[in-house]
Short mmCIF file of all heavy atoms in Angstrom, two decimals:
data_model
loop_
_atom_site.label_atom_id
_atom_site.label_comp_id
_atom_site.label_asym_id
_atom_site.label_seq_id
_atom_site.Cartn_x
_atom_site.Cartn_y
_atom_site.Cartn_z
N GLY A 1 -9.26 -20.05 -33.75
CA GLY A 1 -9.60 -18.73 -34.37
C GLY A 1 -8.33 -17.97 -34.60
O GLY A 1 -7.09 -18.34 -34.41
N SER A 2 -8.54 -16.58 -35.00
CA SER A 2 -7.42 -15.78 -35.44
C SER A 2 -7.70 -14.42 -34.78
O SER A 2 -8.74 -13.99 -34.51
CB SER A 2 -7.41 -15.59 -36.99
OG SER A 2 -7.12 -16.83 -37.49
N LEU A 3 -6.55 -13.79 -34.58
CA LEU A 3 -6.46 -12.34 -34.18
C LEU A 3 -5.34 -11.70 -34.82
O LEU A 3 -4.30 -12.37 -35.07
CB LEU A 3 -6.32 -12.24 -32.63
CG LEU A 3 -7.54 -12.39 -31.73
CD1 LEU A 3 -7.12 -12.36 -30.31
CD2 LEU A 3 -8.58 -11.29 -32.11
N ARG A 4 -5.36 -10.41 -34.96
CA ARG A 4 -4.18 -9.69 -35.48
C ARG A 4 -3.86 -8.55 -34.46
O ARG A 4 -4.76 -7.69 -34.20
CB ARG A 4 -4.44 -9.05 -36.84
CG ARG A 4 -3.05 -8.40 -37.41
CD ARG A 4 -3.28 -7.87 -38.74
NE ARG A 4 -3.83 -6.62 -38.86
CZ ARG A 4 -3.74 -5.71 -39.83
NH1 ARG A 4 -2.95 -6.07 -40.86
NH2 ARG A 4 -4.29 -4.55 -39.88
N LEU A 5 -2.76 -8.61 -33.91
CA LEU A 5 -2.27 -7.48 -33.02
C LEU A 5 -1.55 -6.44 -33.77
O LEU A 5 -0.87 -6.83 -34.78
CB LEU A 5 -1.49 -8.02 -31.87
CG LEU A 5 -1.92 -9.29 -31.06
CD1 LEU A 5 -0.89 -9.52 -29.94
CD2 LEU A 5 -3.21 -8.84 -30.42
N SER A 6 -1.75 -5.22 -33.34
CA SER A 6 -0.95 -4.11 -33.99
C SER A 6 -0.17 -3.33 -32.94
O SER A 6 -0.58 -3.32 -31.82
CB SER A 6 -1.97 -3.18 -34.73
OG SER A 6 -2.60 -3.74 -35.66
N CYS A 7 0.92 -2.74 -33.33
CA CYS A 7 1.69 -1.90 -32.44
C CYS A 7 2.26 -0.66 -33.25
O CYS A 7 2.92 -0.89 -34.24
CB CYS A 7 2.92 -2.75 -31.87
SG CYS A 7 4.06 -1.72 -30.93
N ALA A 8 1.82 0.45 -32.75
CA ALA A 8 2.24 1.68 -33.45
C ALA A 8 3.40 2.27 -32.61
O ALA A 8 3.30 2.43 -31.43
CB ALA A 8 1.14 2.65 -33.50
N LEU A 9 4.42 2.66 -33.25
CA LEU A 9 5.65 3.30 -32.70
C LEU A 9 5.50 4.85 -33.00
O LEU A 9 5.29 5.21 -34.18
CB LEU A 9 6.85 2.77 -33.16
CG LEU A 9 8.16 3.29 -32.56
CD1 LEU A 9 9.30 2.20 -32.54
CD2 LEU A 9 8.72 4.57 -33.36
N SER A 10 5.76 5.69 -32.00
CA SER A 10 5.70 7.15 -32.16
C SER A 10 6.90 7.77 -31.48
O SER A 10 7.46 7.08 -30.53
CB SER A 10 4.41 7.82 -31.76
OG SER A 10 4.21 7.58 -30.33
N GLY A 11 7.36 8.93 -31.93
CA GLY A 11 8.38 9.60 -31.30
C GLY A 11 9.82 9.54 -31.96
O GLY A 11 10.63 10.34 -31.52
N ARG A 12 9.97 8.52 -32.76
CA ARG A 12 11.24 8.38 -33.37
C ARG A 12 10.87 7.79 -34.90
O ARG A 12 9.80 7.38 -35.11
CB ARG A 12 12.16 7.41 -32.65
CG ARG A 12 12.65 8.03 -31.36
CD ARG A 12 13.62 9.19 -31.57
NE ARG A 12 14.29 9.61 -30.41
CZ ARG A 12 13.83 10.57 -29.58
NH1 ARG A 12 12.69 11.21 -29.86
NH2 ARG A 12 14.47 11.03 -28.55
N THR A 13 11.96 7.62 -35.59
CA THR A 13 11.83 7.04 -36.98
C THR A 13 11.68 5.51 -36.87
O THR A 13 12.65 4.89 -36.43
CB THR A 13 13.09 7.41 -37.77
OG1 THR A 13 13.27 8.84 -37.79
CG2 THR A 13 12.94 6.91 -39.25
N PHE A 14 10.56 5.07 -37.26
CA PHE A 14 10.24 3.66 -37.15
C PHE A 14 11.25 2.75 -37.92
O PHE A 14 11.61 1.71 -37.43
CB PHE A 14 8.79 3.39 -37.74
CG PHE A 14 8.28 2.01 -37.61
CD1 PHE A 14 7.95 1.52 -36.37
CD2 PHE A 14 8.21 1.28 -38.70
CE1 PHE A 14 7.51 0.20 -36.25
CE2 PHE A 14 7.66 -0.02 -38.65
CZ PHE A 14 7.23 -0.51 -37.46
N ASN A 15 11.74 3.18 -38.96
CA ASN A 15 12.67 2.32 -39.70
C ASN A 15 13.95 1.95 -39.01
O ASN A 15 14.60 1.06 -39.44
CB ASN A 15 13.03 3.06 -41.10
CG ASN A 15 11.94 3.30 -42.02
OD1 ASN A 15 10.72 3.27 -41.62
ND2 ASN A 15 12.24 3.57 -43.26
N ASN A 16 14.21 2.80 -38.04
CA ASN A 16 15.52 2.55 -37.28
C ASN A 16 15.42 1.41 -36.27
O ASN A 16 16.40 1.15 -35.58
CB ASN A 16 16.00 3.82 -36.69
CG ASN A 16 16.43 4.98 -37.76
OD1 ASN A 16 16.69 4.59 -38.74
ND2 ASN A 16 16.45 6.13 -37.27
N TYR A 17 14.16 0.88 -36.03
CA TYR A 17 13.98 -0.03 -34.90
C TYR A 17 13.62 -1.44 -35.55
O TYR A 17 12.98 -1.58 -36.39
CB TYR A 17 12.94 0.46 -34.12
CG TYR A 17 13.26 1.73 -33.34
CD1 TYR A 17 13.12 3.01 -33.90
CD2 TYR A 17 13.71 1.64 -32.02
CE1 TYR A 17 13.55 4.10 -33.28
CE2 TYR A 17 14.08 2.83 -31.30
CZ TYR A 17 13.99 4.10 -32.02
OH TYR A 17 14.34 5.12 -31.36
N PHE A 18 14.30 -2.45 -34.79
CA PHE A 18 13.73 -3.69 -35.00
C PHE A 18 12.63 -3.95 -33.91
O PHE A 18 12.75 -3.49 -32.82
CB PHE A 18 14.78 -4.90 -34.93
CG PHE A 18 15.58 -4.93 -33.72
CD1 PHE A 18 15.20 -5.77 -32.62
CD2 PHE A 18 16.84 -4.31 -33.53
CE1 PHE A 18 15.94 -5.92 -31.55
CE2 PHE A 18 17.64 -4.45 -32.43
CZ PHE A 18 17.16 -5.16 -31.40
N MET A 19 11.61 -4.66 -34.23
CA MET A 19 10.32 -4.72 -33.42
C MET A 19 10.15 -6.23 -33.05
O MET A 19 10.31 -7.16 -33.98
CB MET A 19 9.26 -4.29 -34.37
CG MET A 19 9.44 -2.84 -34.89
SD MET A 19 9.44 -1.65 -33.69
CE MET A 19 7.82 -1.76 -32.98
N GLY A 20 9.68 -6.36 -31.89
CA GLY A 20 9.34 -7.82 -31.45
C GLY A 20 8.06 -7.82 -30.71
O GLY A 20 7.40 -6.89 -30.33
N TRP A 21 7.70 -9.12 -30.29
CA TRP A 21 6.55 -9.37 -29.48
C TRP A 21 7.02 -10.43 -28.44
O TRP A 21 7.67 -11.38 -28.72
CB TRP A 21 5.49 -9.95 -30.25
CG TRP A 21 4.74 -9.04 -31.23
CD1 TRP A 21 5.06 -8.90 -32.50
CD2 TRP A 21 3.65 -8.14 -30.94
NE1 TRP A 21 4.22 -7.92 -33.06
CE2 TRP A 21 3.40 -7.45 -32.02
CE3 TRP A 21 2.95 -7.87 -29.70
CZ2 TRP A 21 2.38 -6.41 -32.07
CZ3 TRP A 21 1.95 -6.89 -29.77
CH2 TRP A 21 1.64 -6.26 -30.99
N PHE A 22 6.68 -10.07 -27.23
CA PHE A 22 6.73 -11.04 -26.16
C PHE A 22 5.31 -11.28 -25.57
O PHE A 22 4.46 -10.55 -25.86
CB PHE A 22 7.72 -10.60 -24.99
CG PHE A 22 9.20 -10.67 -25.36
CD1 PHE A 22 9.74 -9.84 -26.31
CD2 PHE A 22 9.86 -11.58 -24.62
CE1 PHE A 22 11.07 -9.88 -26.64
CE2 PHE A 22 11.29 -11.64 -24.92
CZ PHE A 22 11.78 -10.90 -25.94
N ARG A 23 5.23 -12.33 -24.73
CA ARG A 23 3.97 -12.55 -24.03
C ARG A 23 4.14 -13.19 -22.66
O ARG A 23 5.25 -13.78 -22.44
CB ARG A 23 3.08 -13.54 -24.79
CG ARG A 23 3.53 -15.00 -24.89
CD ARG A 23 2.68 -15.80 -25.84
NE ARG A 23 3.20 -17.21 -25.91
CZ ARG A 23 2.64 -18.12 -26.66
NH1 ARG A 23 1.58 -17.82 -27.57
NH2 ARG A 23 3.04 -19.36 -26.69
N GLN A 24 3.22 -12.92 -21.86
CA GLN A 24 3.35 -13.37 -20.41
C GLN A 24 1.89 -13.90 -20.04
O GLN A 24 0.99 -13.22 -19.94
CB GLN A 24 3.79 -12.21 -19.46
CG GLN A 24 4.00 -12.75 -18.10
CD GLN A 24 4.80 -11.69 -17.28
OE1 GLN A 24 4.80 -10.50 -17.52
NE2 GLN A 24 5.43 -12.10 -16.16
N ALA A 25 1.91 -15.16 -19.75
CA ALA A 25 0.83 -15.86 -19.24
C ALA A 25 0.70 -15.76 -17.72
O ALA A 25 1.74 -15.60 -17.05
CB ALA A 25 0.75 -17.34 -19.62
N PRO A 26 -0.45 -15.85 -17.19
CA PRO A 26 -0.58 -15.70 -15.74
C PRO A 26 0.26 -16.76 -14.91
O PRO A 26 0.17 -17.95 -15.30
CB PRO A 26 -2.20 -15.97 -15.49
CG PRO A 26 -2.78 -15.57 -16.70
CD PRO A 26 -1.76 -15.98 -17.83
N GLY A 27 1.02 -16.23 -14.06
CA GLY A 27 1.82 -17.10 -13.32
C GLY A 27 3.17 -17.58 -13.90
O GLY A 27 3.90 -18.46 -13.46
N LYS A 28 3.40 -17.09 -15.07
CA LYS A 28 4.60 -17.55 -15.87
C LYS A 28 5.48 -16.42 -16.20
O LYS A 28 5.14 -15.27 -16.19
CB LYS A 28 4.17 -18.26 -17.12
CG LYS A 28 3.36 -19.63 -16.93
CD LYS A 28 3.14 -20.34 -18.24
CE LYS A 28 2.45 -21.60 -17.99
NZ LYS A 28 2.35 -22.36 -19.27
N GLU A 29 6.69 -16.76 -16.59
CA GLU A 29 7.67 -15.73 -17.03
C GLU A 29 7.30 -15.24 -18.51
O GLU A 29 6.63 -15.78 -19.18
CB GLU A 29 9.04 -16.45 -17.16
CG GLU A 29 9.60 -17.03 -15.85
CD GLU A 29 10.52 -16.20 -15.13
OE1 GLU A 29 11.26 -15.38 -15.84
OE2 GLU A 29 10.52 -16.33 -13.93
N ARG A 30 7.80 -13.97 -18.69
CA ARG A 30 7.58 -13.47 -19.97
C ARG A 30 8.49 -14.12 -21.01
O ARG A 30 9.53 -14.48 -20.68
CB ARG A 30 7.97 -11.95 -19.95
CG ARG A 30 7.50 -11.10 -21.20
CD ARG A 30 7.74 -9.68 -21.00
NE ARG A 30 6.89 -9.16 -19.90
CZ ARG A 30 6.85 -7.79 -19.84
NH1 ARG A 30 7.53 -6.83 -20.56
NH2 ARG A 30 6.10 -7.35 -18.76
N GLU A 31 7.94 -14.42 -22.22
CA GLU A 31 8.66 -15.23 -23.15
C GLU A 31 8.65 -14.60 -24.53
O GLU A 31 7.70 -13.93 -24.84
CB GLU A 31 8.10 -16.60 -23.25
CG GLU A 31 6.71 -16.73 -23.78
CD GLU A 31 6.19 -18.14 -23.89
OE1 GLU A 31 6.99 -19.10 -23.57
OE2 GLU A 31 5.01 -18.29 -24.40
N PHE A 32 9.66 -14.86 -25.27
CA PHE A 32 9.78 -14.28 -26.74
C PHE A 32 8.70 -14.95 -27.51
O PHE A 32 8.46 -16.17 -27.45
CB PHE A 32 11.14 -14.62 -27.12
CG PHE A 32 11.45 -14.36 -28.63
CD1 PHE A 32 11.59 -13.16 -29.08
CD2 PHE A 32 11.42 -15.53 -29.48
CE1 PHE A 32 11.78 -12.94 -30.47
CE2 PHE A 32 11.52 -15.27 -30.82
CZ PHE A 32 11.76 -13.99 -31.27
N VAL A 33 8.20 -14.23 -28.48
CA VAL A 33 7.21 -14.67 -29.45
C VAL A 33 7.80 -14.57 -30.83
O VAL A 33 8.01 -15.52 -31.59
CB VAL A 33 5.89 -14.06 -29.34
CG1 VAL A 33 4.88 -14.45 -30.38
CG2 VAL A 33 5.21 -14.17 -28.06
N ALA A 34 8.12 -13.36 -31.28
CA ALA A 34 8.68 -13.17 -32.65
C ALA A 34 9.34 -11.80 -32.70
O ALA A 34 9.17 -10.88 -31.91
CB ALA A 34 7.60 -13.15 -33.65
N VAL A 35 10.25 -11.71 -33.67
CA VAL A 35 10.87 -10.34 -33.95
C VAL A 35 11.05 -10.27 -35.45
O VAL A 35 11.13 -11.22 -36.24
CB VAL A 35 12.36 -10.45 -33.31
CG1 VAL A 35 13.26 -11.45 -33.86
CG2 VAL A 35 13.01 -9.07 -33.45
N ILE A 36 11.05 -8.96 -35.86
CA ILE A 36 11.28 -8.59 -37.35
C ILE A 36 12.34 -7.45 -37.37
O ILE A 36 12.21 -6.53 -36.52
CB ILE A 36 9.96 -8.28 -37.98
CG1 ILE A 36 10.16 -7.98 -39.42
CG2 ILE A 36 9.32 -6.98 -37.34
CD1 ILE A 36 8.83 -7.92 -40.32
N THR A 37 13.31 -7.58 -38.24
CA THR A 37 14.37 -6.59 -38.25
C THR A 37 13.94 -5.44 -39.21
O THR A 37 12.84 -5.42 -39.64
CB THR A 37 15.63 -7.22 -38.88
OG1 THR A 37 15.31 -7.86 -40.17
CG2 THR A 37 16.24 -8.32 -37.92
N TRP A 38 14.89 -4.51 -39.32
CA TRP A 38 14.55 -3.11 -39.83
C TRP A 38 13.77 -3.13 -41.18
O TRP A 38 12.83 -2.54 -41.30
CB TRP A 38 15.78 -2.36 -39.97
CG TRP A 38 16.52 -2.14 -38.66
CD1 TRP A 38 16.34 -1.07 -37.84
CD2 TRP A 38 17.48 -3.01 -38.16
NE1 TRP A 38 17.26 -1.27 -36.76
CE2 TRP A 38 17.92 -2.44 -36.89
CE3 TRP A 38 17.98 -4.29 -38.47
CZ2 TRP A 38 18.90 -3.01 -36.08
CZ3 TRP A 38 18.93 -4.91 -37.66
CH2 TRP A 38 19.45 -4.25 -36.49
N GLY A 39 14.27 -3.86 -42.08
CA GLY A 39 13.74 -3.86 -43.41
C GLY A 39 12.58 -4.94 -43.62
O GLY A 39 11.90 -5.02 -44.65
N GLY A 40 12.35 -5.64 -42.61
CA GLY A 40 11.40 -6.75 -42.58
C GLY A 40 11.75 -8.05 -43.32
O GLY A 40 10.95 -8.94 -43.46
N ILE A 41 13.01 -8.19 -43.66
CA ILE A 41 13.46 -9.28 -44.41
C ILE A 41 13.74 -10.56 -43.47
O ILE A 41 13.40 -11.72 -43.79
CB ILE A 41 14.85 -8.95 -45.19
CG1 ILE A 41 14.51 -7.83 -46.22
CG2 ILE A 41 15.41 -10.16 -45.77
CD1 ILE A 41 15.70 -7.42 -46.92
N THR A 42 14.22 -10.24 -42.28
CA THR A 42 14.48 -11.24 -41.33
C THR A 42 13.54 -11.31 -40.26
O THR A 42 13.23 -10.32 -39.59
CB THR A 42 15.96 -11.05 -40.78
OG1 THR A 42 16.87 -11.07 -41.91
CG2 THR A 42 16.26 -12.18 -39.83
N THR A 43 13.12 -12.57 -40.03
CA THR A 43 12.10 -12.77 -38.89
C THR A 43 12.56 -14.06 -38.13
O THR A 43 13.13 -14.95 -38.67
CB THR A 43 10.66 -12.92 -39.29
OG1 THR A 43 10.64 -14.10 -40.18
CG2 THR A 43 10.15 -11.68 -40.09
N TYR A 44 12.21 -13.95 -36.80
CA TYR A 44 12.49 -15.22 -35.92
C TYR A 44 11.19 -15.44 -35.16
O TYR A 44 10.49 -14.53 -34.81
CB TYR A 44 13.74 -14.95 -35.00
CG TYR A 44 14.92 -14.75 -35.75
CD1 TYR A 44 15.54 -13.44 -35.83
CD2 TYR A 44 15.67 -15.88 -36.36
CE1 TYR A 44 16.76 -13.27 -36.53
CE2 TYR A 44 16.88 -15.63 -36.99
CZ TYR A 44 17.44 -14.42 -37.04
OH TYR A 44 18.56 -14.21 -37.72
N TYR A 45 10.94 -16.69 -34.80
CA TYR A 45 9.77 -17.08 -34.16
C TYR A 45 10.14 -18.06 -32.96
O TYR A 45 11.05 -18.87 -33.14
CB TYR A 45 8.76 -17.77 -34.99
CG TYR A 45 8.11 -16.79 -36.07
CD1 TYR A 45 8.70 -16.74 -37.25
CD2 TYR A 45 7.06 -16.02 -35.77
CE1 TYR A 45 8.23 -15.91 -38.23
CE2 TYR A 45 6.58 -15.17 -36.76
CZ TYR A 45 7.21 -15.09 -38.02
OH TYR A 45 6.59 -14.36 -38.93
N ALA A 46 9.39 -18.01 -31.92
CA ALA A 46 9.44 -19.02 -30.99
C ALA A 46 8.91 -20.34 -31.56
O ALA A 46 8.02 -20.35 -32.37
CB ALA A 46 8.61 -18.73 -29.64
N ASP A 47 9.41 -21.45 -31.22
CA ASP A 47 9.02 -22.77 -31.75
C ASP A 47 7.48 -23.02 -31.53
O ASP A 47 6.76 -23.56 -32.36
CB ASP A 47 9.79 -23.91 -31.13
CG ASP A 47 11.33 -23.96 -31.63
OD1 ASP A 47 11.52 -23.37 -32.67
OD2 ASP A 47 12.05 -24.63 -30.95
N SER A 48 7.00 -22.51 -30.36
CA SER A 48 5.59 -22.67 -30.02
C SER A 48 4.63 -22.00 -30.87
O SER A 48 3.45 -22.37 -30.99
CB SER A 48 5.38 -22.24 -28.53
OG SER A 48 5.71 -20.93 -28.40
#
């Protein structure tokens, strides 16, 4: 199946921030998932 997560930033100018996602499974370390830079042109993903 599919899901879409959202994250809203408040308090500062959104354009000035690069944004990412991490995740943590029970009993495991927090791990990188994805990141997007300021203009949205560059993205990186975990291999998984």
Side-chain angles (χ1 to χ4, degrees):
S2 298
L3 280 176
R4 188 176 81 156
L5 305 183
S6 300
C7 174
L9 183 150
S10 63
R12 289 293 186 269
T13 304
F14 183 70
N15 298 16
N16 291 340
Y17 292 81
F18 60 88
M19 305 292 296
W21 291 94
F22 280 72
R23 67 185 182 185
Q24 188 168 18
K28 294 190 175 181
E29 303 262 329
R30 191 173 296 188
E31 63 176 6
F32 169 80
V33 176
V35 63
I36 186 166
T37 55
W38 300 266
I41 296 173
T42 302
T43 57
Y44 298 103
Y45 296 91
D47 288 342
S48 58

